[in-house]
Amino acid sequence: MTALHSFWSLFRPTHPSYSFFYCLSSRSTGDYISKMAASWDGSYDPGSQSDDSHHFERLHIEPLYDAFVCPLTKQVMRDPVTLENGQTFEREAIEKWFKECRESGRKLVCPLTLKDLKSTDLNPSIALRNTIEEWTTRNEAAQLDMARRSLNMSSSENDVLLSLKFIQHICQKSRSNKHAVRNADLIPMIVDMLKSSSRKVRCRALETLLVVVEEDEDNKAILAEGDTVRTIVKFLSHEQSKEREEAVSLLYELSKSEAVCEKIGSINGAILILVGMTSSKSENVLTVEKADKTLENLEKFENNVRQMAENGRLQPLLTQILEGTPETKQSMAAYLGELVLNNDVKVYVARTVGESLINLMRSGNMQSREAALKALNQISSYEASSKVLIEAGILPPLVKDLFTVGANQLPMRLKEVSATILSNVVNSGFDVESIPIGPDHQTLVSEDNVHNLLHLISNTGPPIECKLLQVLVGLTNSQTTALNVVAAIKSSGATISLVQFIEVPQQDLRMACIKLLQNLSPYMGQELADALRGTVGQLSSLIRVISENTGISEEQAAAAGLLAELPERDLGLTRQMLDEGAFQFIISRVVKIRQGETRGTRFVTPFLEGLVRVLARVTFVLSAEPDAVALCREYNLAALFIELLQANGLDNVQMVSASALENLSQESKNLTRLPELPPPGVCASIFPCFSKQAVITGLCRVHQGTCSLKESFCLLEGQAVHKLVALLDHTNAKVVEAALAALSTLLDDGVAIEQGVFVLCEAEAIKPILDVLLEKQTENLSRRAVWVVERLLRTEDIAYEVSGDQNVSTALVDAFHNADYRTRQIAERALKHVDKIPNFSGIFPNM
């Protein structure tokens, strides 16, 4: 038997020193007094000890004297007091006895002798108390020493658990006992038990450490030495929830010490795990609450606040920005600018500290302004948060910072940040025209402010130029603000200087320029075309961007869109593009896209639409430019445009392709080779009555000559008519109008109109054309439909069939009454064809 086991066996309930307890419990005091006395054993609470700790209460090295034990509580007294009859009790217990006697209406008696008491005066037994304290101290020191010997890995699990529980018990009794535990070097030994293979021992060790350090700064300091705190943090990620709960409770207590707070924050992953626990749905409520309170304590140190923000707990950092000292606000704002935030968080941050950051940006301290600008740059990179910042008043100070020169001006590196923020907020879609930013209700699109932006663009470096061009891009995205910008550009003569940015080597700067020019082109297309033609290199650079075979970029889509918006009938620009081989590059890119060689990019649709529009411009100069005709023949553009008619879902591509086919078809009558009749023979020249007229087969029915899709662009080839007819049922009125215009070239003057009608009949186009007339989708479409229907009604069979359709007659009558002058004349002729208006030409032949 070991000495340790012998020690614990000495203190069983049969030990002679306990005989007093058993005698006392068997003493007969009457029913009422028995119940009152017995109640103390359950109601008296000297520290809420568990069964184990109560067991330790009864372990004494020195004998337990009867005088030390309170007759009521049957426990060693801590504050003994003596009654008038000389009996001694625990103060708290006898006071409770007196109280219950009074409340029950019983007379005051001594609970031990049952004799009446004249007074409730209590006299402190100081000598007895001192003797008990000395006895307790000696016993606890000896017991603590025995517990110390069991705190090692070779002891049994039960002995270790009992020892740890005893240490908890004596620490809970008094603060001095915590000092004794510390002086006995028990804290490192308890820490060693955290490495035990027994989960029960580890949990009990965590519990014990919590009791030992509770409200004791010295013990916390000792526990924080070495890697102990790191070990405790590791328990936060354990699978066993009990260990996590004990660990987080211990960390919470330790975090009440500022010195330990810094230590906890310095442990890699500690704050990350704690933040995760506060948002966990699997943890119990108490654990989550303790983790949250621990983090609140850690907020005392800025470095901890930064870590929390980095790991998703932003509120402490935002609170520092709102309530901290100027130095703290600056520091936290600077760190906020370094964080990577998701979009929802940006909105939350903008709403919480946006106004404070804007005020910080207005301060005279350059470091504070820099910190605020960097934070605002981060927040403003999302549209929704940018709008919040605009509402918070960011525009006036931001514009002031950009335009201010002199002693208080921002250095260029910060002006770049200001320009970036301005670009972000302007491109958020907010109506900046409604925000006054200067005297006399000036706004960002007032002429003076746009002139200032243009001046900065011309006199700063590429990074700022890029951001300021993006500002102008944002201002020109809306038609209302675009008109102000266009007026300012024209009045300042800045068109040439803007176009020159197309040649710069910096891609971001070049792309910003191209996007701006694309936005400007609907309002000043001719000025831009003149600038591109008149300046060496710009058009070539634009074409080079489009022709780069590195996928499809936003820059390429913007370049194609810019060229597409330039006046399509500008012969000089088209000739220059022909000379530079631009159309060959474009044809190649269109074919590759249609063949599926370039897919999956977000810019493929706008790029293809722009390319097709640029390619179509060559069809507007066919009559004046032989090289354009040669290009169309060489690359069989008519066939390409016919194929593009089937680009379902790409309305603009279908519309532009139909318009290009209209232009090509109009040129067909000029390109058709008329047949050459063989010269008459000698006999035929002498006797013409005996000659026969030569018959030539294979001629085009409509153009009365030799036609082909590739050479003369005749629509009768390549299924063009059927594909155009199919588009008459399109939901987009512009596509329908373009298809109808292309079909109308088969009924134009200079071709065999009757044969053109037959071609449309064979393609089953008559009903769709009449439906277009009836639907009246747009004024232009109605005008075109009336023209085509009048040509169709020149054929008697069609006129006869249509004359019975009251809807068609009503539509023609409506056009006759309400359309423009020319369309009314055409409608009148159509009504005559169906006999709705008398035809007086036979009666008045000279009319």
Side-chain angles (χ1 to χ4, degrees), residues 446-457:
S446 297
E447 188 173 36
D448 288 346
N449 287 324
V450 177
H451 283 171
N452 286 334
L453 288 172
L454 293 170
H455 176 75
L456 278 175
I457 290 172

Side-chain angles (χ1 to χ4, degrees), residues 170-465:
I170 65 167
C171 286
Q172 287 168 337
K173 287 182 66 177
S174 69
R175 182 181 295 273
S176 62
N177 287 343
K178 294 185 179 183
H179 299 167
V181 167
R182 178 174 69 249
N183 295 333
D185 290 331
L186 277 170
I187 294 177
M189 299 181 71
I190 301 170
V191 170
D192 287 341
M193 294 300 102
L194 296 177
K195 303 172 185 176
S196 171
S197 59
S198 166
R199 183 174 64 84
K200 290 182 179 179
V201 170
R202 294 195 301 269
C203 285
R204 182 70 59 83
L206 289 168
E207 288 177 11
T208 307
L209 288 172
L210 174 59
V211 174
V212 169
V213 301
E214 200 166 17
E215 297 181 0
D216 193 306
E217 291 297 314
D218 293 334
N219 285 358
K220 287 175 184 175
I222 290 176
L223 189 59
E225 293 175 356
D227 280 346
T228 304
V229 178
R230 185 185 304 276
T231 303
I232 298 169
V233 168
K234 288 180 181 178
F235 280 100
L236 297 179
S237 56
H238 275 213
E239 294 181 4
Q240 293 294 333
S241 60
K242 180 64 175 173
E243 289 176 292
R244 287 201 307 275
E245 292 167 14
E246 297 296 343
V248 76
S249 296
L250 178 53
L251 280 176
Y252 168 55
E253 181 61 35
L254 291 173
S255 68
K256 295 176 182 178
S257 167
E258 290 195 8
V260 186
C261 270
E262 196 167 14
K263 179 95 173 185
I264 295 172
S266 68
I267 296 170
N268 186 32
I271 289 178
L272 171 62
I273 297 172
L274 287 168
V275 170
M277 293 177 77
T278 59
S279 59
S280 173
K281 296 181 179 179
S282 61
E283 301 286 352
N284 67 48
V285 177
L286 185 59
T287 301
V288 171
E289 183 181 345
K290 288 285 179 66
D292 191 63
K293 288 183 177 179
T294 304
L295 288 169
E296 288 179 8
N297 290 336
L298 297 182
E299 291 172 14
K300 299 181 183 75
F301 292 89
E302 288 189 10
N303 189 50
N304 293 344
V305 172
R306 291 189 181 95
Q307 284 194 65
M308 291 179 202
E310 186 179 350
N311 292 299
R313 188 181 174 95
L314 267 176
Q315 190 55 53
L317 183 142
L318 302 183
T319 301
Q320 296 277 24
I321 293 176
L322 290 171
E323 303 172 2
T325 63
E327 294 77 13
T328 300
K329 289 183 178 182
Q330 176 188 316
S331 172
M332 294 295 106
Y335 190 72
L336 180 61
E338 297 174 7
L339 291 175
V340 178
L341 308 175
N342 65 44
N343 290 337
D344 290 340
V345 173
K346 289 175 186 176
V347 176
Y348 171 72
V349 172
R351 288 175 178 159
T352 307
V353 297
E355 190 172 347
S356 296
L357 290 172
I358 293 169
N359 290 334
L360 196 61
M361 184 180 73
R362 287 190 175 105
S363 71
N365 184 298
M366 191 60 70
Q367 290 180 325
S368 296
R369 293 170 73 183
E370 180 174 0
L373 283 170
K374 289 182 177 178
L376 290 167
N377 183 29
Q378 168 71 263
I379 302 168
S380 67
S381 58
Y382 178 51
E383 290 182 0
S385 52
S386 281
K387 292 178 181 178
V388 174
L389 293 176
I390 293 174
E391 292 169 351
I394 194 173
L395 271 180
L398 198 59
V399 174
K400 182 181 177 182
D401 277 350
L402 271 174
F403 294 163
T404 297
V405 293
N408 201 33
Q409 70 173 346
L410 288 176
M412 277 301 171
R413 61 185 177 82
L414 293 186
K415 284 203 173 187
E416 181 184 346
V417 180
S418 295
T420 304
I421 299 171
L422 184 60
S423 170
N424 291 339
V425 299
V426 167
N427 282 280
S428 67
F430 196 96
D431 180 18
V432 296
E433 194 177 16
S434 63
I435 308 294
I437 62 170
D440 302 324
H441 302 288
Q442 281 192 343
T443 67
L444 191 56
V445 291
S446 297
E447 188 173 36
D448 288 346
N449 287 324
V450 177
H451 283 171
N452 286 334
L453 288 172
L454 293 170
H455 176 75
L456 278 175
I457 290 172
S458 300
N459 294 278
T460 53
I464 300 181
E465 290 170 343

Side-chain angles (χ1 to χ4, degrees), residues 59 113 158 163 294 320 396 404 431 527 572 617 632 650 711 842:
L59 296 179
T113 65
N158 189 54
S163 296
T294 304
Q320 296 277 24
T404 297
D431 180 18
E527 290 89 338
R617 73 179 294 120
C632 292
L650 302 176
E711 296 297 325

Side-chain angles (χ1 to χ4, degrees), residues 67-198:
F68 292 178
V69 178
C70 173
L72 288 176
T73 66
K74 300 181 179 62
Q75 296 182 24
V76 176
M77 291 183 285
R78 289 175 295 175
D79 186 10
V81 292
T82 305
L83 303 182
E84 63 183 29
N85 62 1
Q87 298 298 325
T88 302
F89 299 90
E90 178 69 55
R91 179 187 293 275
E92 185 178 352
I94 193 62
E95 286 177 345
K96 186 172 183 182
W97 171 270
F98 289 158
K99 179 181 178 184
E100 291 191 5
C101 285
R102 285 192 296 270
E103 290 176 351
S104 63
R106 304 284 181 179
K107 59 183 178 178
L108 257 61
V109 297
C110 172
L112 195 59
T113 65
L114 301 182
K115 292 182 179 180
D116 294 347
L117 295 173
K118 296 179 182 179
S119 169
T120 59
D121 291 343
L122 303 175
N123 298 313
S125 300
I126 297 174
L128 178 59
R129 184 176 64 190
N130 292 339
T131 302
I132 291 173
E133 287 178 354
E134 292 172 1
W135 175 87
T136 301
T137 300
R138 291 193 301 272
N139 271 286
E140 287 179 346
Q143 292 162 352
L144 201 59
D145 183 61
M146 294 303 294
R148 187 177 186 280
R149 297 179 193 178
S150 69
L151 288 181
N152 57 72
M153 294 299 180
S154 61
S155 298
S156 68
E157 179 186 87
N158 189 54
D159 283 347
V160 174
L161 291 174
L162 284 171
S163 296
L164 290 171
K165 198 65 179 179
F166 173 69
I167 295 171
Q168 291 181 33
H169 167 66
I170 65 167
C171 286
Q172 287 168 337
K173 287 182 66 177
S174 69
R175 182 181 295 273
S176 62
N177 287 343
K178 294 185 179 183
H179 299 167
V181 167
R182 178 174 69 249
N183 295 333
D185 290 331
L186 277 170
I187 294 177
M189 299 181 71
I190 301 170
V191 170
D192 287 341
M193 294 300 102
L194 296 177
K195 303 172 185 176
S196 171
S197 59
S198 166

